[in-house]
């Protein structure tokens, strides 16, 4: 027979355990059940651009964000949502991914994309594909149908044939605007004698040269995912691969964070931007905002670009060191915000 003092001690311990559990669940329930961030690149219009041009971008961003919001409301998985949202961007000629992708120095398009699921660390990527209408979906197939993470060039094209994903002529990705930017970049490069390619690009190359699209999500089950897709840099060397298909550089998701980047890929690779943000949260005890600010404003150089991120609690971050970043944030608490510049 237990003594009365032991019974009291047991009851008190039970009460304490129940209180701690209740507090935990209150904290969890107080946060959003789902959250999503999107970006359409850090290479934006000038601030002085006509309001009609800005409105066009805002409308496209809203359309992508609305799709993500509806899918999350109805309980779709983070992985399905990031893929679906990035496909919307890939089909929109305003953005540097899929239709509307920038030209390389040969006047062709080479596309990169990657996708990652946080709780499984499953990931897939493609680099330098030329005829795949939606590279993000091919990246997902690499993740789900092969034992590899990254397929490139002809191998990725052959895999695309095996899977039956939609194919297009390389010229499908052409837009007049991107062609003009290429001509401008090549002319400036010639004038400045910078004949060694994108790595030697003049500052104005950077202004017009980059852009990428991405989406990060925390779904109703608390799972995270990230997807990113790009045409890379205007006037890049043939065969150049940036950060977008490099897991941990331009795209990353685990059980703590999901991050998607946009900017000068070489810099994002050097600083393993996406994984560094995650590591600061996971091991350094930083909030998502602190981690993102430290990497974007501390490790990267001004005008390198920016990131969007979400953590496992549904906190959303969009941070950049460029003039602006096409972006949008939404969550289950009613947030729905689309922006290009600081305000
Ligand atoms: N961030 C896109 C690229 O550098 O390719």
């Amino acid at each position: 027979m237990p003594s009365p003092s032991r019974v009291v001690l047991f009851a008190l311990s039970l009460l304490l355990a129940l209180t701690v559990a209740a507090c935990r669940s209150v904290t969890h329930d107080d946060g959003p059940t789902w959250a999503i961030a999107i970006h359409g690149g850090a290479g934006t219009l000038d601030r002085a651009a006509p309001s009609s041009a800005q409105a066009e971008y805002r409308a496209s961003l809203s359309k992508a964000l609305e799709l993500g919001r509806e899918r999350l409301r109805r309980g779709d998985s983070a992985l399905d949502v990031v893929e679906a949202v990035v496909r919307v961007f890939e089909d929109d000629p305003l953005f540097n991914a899929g239709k509307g992708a920038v030209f390389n120095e040969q006047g062709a398009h080479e596309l990169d994309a990657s996708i990652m699921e946080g709780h499984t660390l499953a990931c897939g990527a493609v680099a330098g594909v030329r005829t795949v209408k939606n590279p993000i979906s091919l990246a997902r197939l690499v993740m789900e149908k092969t034992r590899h993470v990254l397929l490139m060039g002809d191998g990725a094209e052959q895999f695309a044939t095996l899977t039956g994903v939609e194919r297009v002529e390389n010229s499908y990705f052409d837009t007049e605007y991107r062609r003009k930017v290429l001509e401008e970049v090549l002319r400036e490069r010639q004038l400045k004698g910078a004949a060694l390619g994108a790595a030697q690009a003049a500052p104005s190359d950077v202004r017009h040269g980059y852009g990428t699209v991405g989406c990060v999500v925390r779904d109703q089950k608390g799972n995270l995912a990230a997807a990113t897709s790009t045409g890379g840099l205007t006037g890049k060397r043939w065969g150049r691969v940036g950060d977008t298909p490099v897991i941990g550089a331009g795209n990353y998701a685990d059980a703590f964070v999901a991050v998607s980047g946009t900017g000068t890929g070489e810099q994002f690779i050097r600083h393993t931007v996406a994984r560094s943000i995650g590591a600061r949260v996971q091991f350094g005890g930083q909030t998502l905002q602190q981690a993102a600010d430290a990497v974007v404003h501390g490790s990267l150089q001004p005008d390198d670009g920016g990131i969007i991120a979400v953590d496992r609690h549904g906190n959303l971050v969009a941070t950049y060191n460029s003039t602006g970043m096409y972006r949008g944030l939404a969550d289950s608490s009613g947030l729905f915000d689309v922006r290009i510049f600081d305000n």
Side-chain angles (χ1 to χ4, degrees):
M1 190 63 183
S3 68
S5 60
R6 285 188 119 177
V7 172
V8 171
L9 201 60
F10 176 75
L12 282 175
S13 312
L14 193 63
L15 195 64
L16 187 67
L18 287 173
T19 309
V20 168
C23 286
R24 277 204 185 125
S25 91
V26 167
T27 308
H28 176 75
D29 290 346
D30 276 355
T33 56
W34 56 261
I36 176 170
I38 60 169
H39 72 77
T44 58
L45 296 164
D46 284 338
R47 265 185 182 279
S51 56
S52 57
Q54 297 192 27
E56 226 183 330
Y57 278 95
R58 283 182 210 281
S60 282
L61 288 166
S62 296
K63 182 178 146 197
L65 193 58
E66 272 161 20
L67 174 90
R69 179 178 65 179
E70 294 321 307
R71 300 275 307 250
L72 284 162
R73 273 183 178 157
R74 73 177 199 220
D76 285 2
S77 74
L79 192 66
D80 285 346
V81 174
V82 294
E83 181 191 1
V85 169
V86 166
R87 282 181 67 104
V88 170
F89 280 130
E90 288 177 338
D91 291 342
D92 188 329
L94 289 181
F95 300 98
N96 176 17
K99 175 77 183 165
V102 299
F103 289 91
N104 68 11
E105 65 181 359
Q106 294 182 321
H109 307 277
E110 293 173 296
L111 311 176
D112 304 333
S114 70
I115 192 164
M116 185 160 189
E117 184 178 60
H119 63 291
T120 59
L121 297 182
C123 49
V126 292
V129 294
R130 289 173 163 244
T131 66
V132 177
K133 181 167 177 276
N134 292 105
I136 197 64
S137 294
L138 189 63
R140 181 163 178 180
L141 288 165
V142 171
M143 170 183 139
E144 290 179 339
K145 305 279 183 217
T146 80
R147 58 198 167 86
H148 306 301
V149 166
L150 170 59
L151 293 181
M152 51 77 73
D154 288 347
E157 293 282 341
Q158 194 183 70
F159 177 64
T161 304
L162 290 176
T163 61
V165 294
E166 191 173 351
R167 310 294 279 283
V168 289
E169 294 292 324
N170 194 250
S171 58
Y172 158 83
F173 302 110
D174 291 3
T175 51
E176 268 321 294
Y177 170 67
R178 299 291 185 198
R179 194 178 291 285
K180 276 198 195 119
V181 176
L182 174 69
E183 284 163 7
E184 205 178 296
V185 164
L186 294 181
R187 203 174 317 119
E188 278 194 34
R189 193 178 290 167
Q190 204 176 17
L191 282 176
K192 293 185 180 172
L196 295 178
Q200 305 293 317
S204 57
D205 287 6
V206 171
R207 196 180 69 233
H208 293 298
Y210 58 53
T212 292
V213 306
C215 179
V216 296
V217 159
R218 177 203 194 267
D219 66 22
Q220 288 194 28
K221 289 188 174 153
N223 293 328
L224 305 177
T228 309
S229 180
T230 191
L233 303 182
T234 300
K236 65 186 181 181
R237 286 183 77 96
W238 170 77
R240 177 264 187 192
V241 175
D243 59 313
T244 299
V246 178
I247 297 298
N251 197 59
Y252 185 72
D254 60 19
F256 293 84
V257 299
V259 182
S260 170
T262 165
T264 312
E266 285 71 11
Q267 282 286 83
F268 278 65
I269 293 171
R270 282 183 195 107
H271 294 283
T272 56
V273 164
R275 177 60 186 137
S276 292
I277 291 170
R280 282 171 175 273
V281 171
Q282 185 176 357
F283 304 117
Q286 293 191 329
T287 65
L288 187 61
Q289 187 72 60
Q290 289 167 339
D293 285 344
V295 174
V296 173
H297 300 293
S299 307
L300 295 177
Q301 297 296 309
D303 228 13
D304 273 344
I307 63 96
I308 51 167
V310 62
D311 70 14
R312 61 188 163 146
H313 308 294
N315 295 307
L316 292 164
V317 164
T319 302
Y320 55 94
N321 60 31
S322 42
T323 308
M325 180 166 79
Y326 300 119
R327 62 197 188 278
L329 308 176
D331 70 23
S332 54
S333 74
L335 171 71
F336 188 94
D337 189 34
V338 163
R339 290 175 195 235
I340 301 176
F341 304 109
D342 282 351
N343 46 47

